[in-house]
Amino acid sequence: MQTQGQKILHMGALGSLLALIVLCVAWEMILAPIRPNGSWLVLKVIPLLIPLHGVWKRNLYTMQWASMLILLFFAEGIVRGMSDTGLSAILGWIEVGLVLVFFSCTILYLRPYKKAAKALTKQALQKAAK
């Protein structure tokens, strides 16, 4: 059974992932594309679409690897926030913020499950040692 805090963390993770997808598409097609009328860089959204269903369904394994995948977008946001100018730099920092929200919510959401798995492993090892 999930606590109210876990529900909020899940919604935070899901909401920030959806917002990041929308931001990346809008960024590369409308707001500040590298080339006029959009660019192929919009395809960077595809890796974000892969874990979307698993995050929606609260799949623990998907949330674990998605929290590592999202760090690629953290790196991109930092680079573009530091090297671009104008709106593109601002969008880079917004991307960093959304990534940090997703990462934090996901890690905090998974924490009780990881503790429970660790306790079960410890119990199994103690039982096997007897």
Side-chain angles (χ1 to χ4, degrees):
M1 180 150 181
Q2 290 192 336
T3 65
Q4 185 66 24
Q6 282 182 302
K7 289 178 184 177
I8 291 170
L9 290 170
H10 174 254
M11 292 307 291
L14 183 60
S16 60
L17 182 60
L18 289 170
L20 187 58
I21 290 169
V22 169
L23 173 76
C24 289
V25 170
W27 184 354
E28 300 304 338
M29 294 303 291
I30 301 166
L31 299 175
I34 291 177
R35 292 194 174 92
N37 300 324
S39 72
W40 285 98
L41 199 53
V42 75
L43 295 177
K44 71 181 181 184
V45 165
I46 292 172
L48 293 174
L49 295 174
I50 295 169
L52 185 59
H53 183 262
V55 172
W56 182 280
K57 295 290 186 178
R58 295 180 177 98
N59 183 298
L60 299 180
Y61 181 73
T62 302
M63 292 181 84
Q64 287 175 355
W65 67 260
S67 68
M68 296 296 109
L69 170 74
I70 204 81
L71 296 178
L72 294 171
F73 290 84
F74 177 78
E76 185 212 14
I78 293 288
V79 168
R80 293 191 68 180
M82 299 278 274
S83 63
D84 289 359
T85 57
L87 181 59
S88 187
I90 294 168
L91 294 172
W93 291 118
I94 293 171
E95 181 179 27
V96 169
L98 289 172
V99 167
L100 290 174
V101 169
F102 178 83
F103 186 79
S104 301
C105 287
T106 303
I107 295 300
L108 292 172
Y109 178 83
L110 293 171
R111 184 182 232 179
Y113 296 103
K114 296 303 255 179
K115 282 184 180 181
K118 192 178 272 189
L120 281 174
T121 303
K122 187 176 180 181
Q123 283 179 351
L125 288 173
Q126 288 174 347
K127 194 173 188 178
K130 289 182 183 180

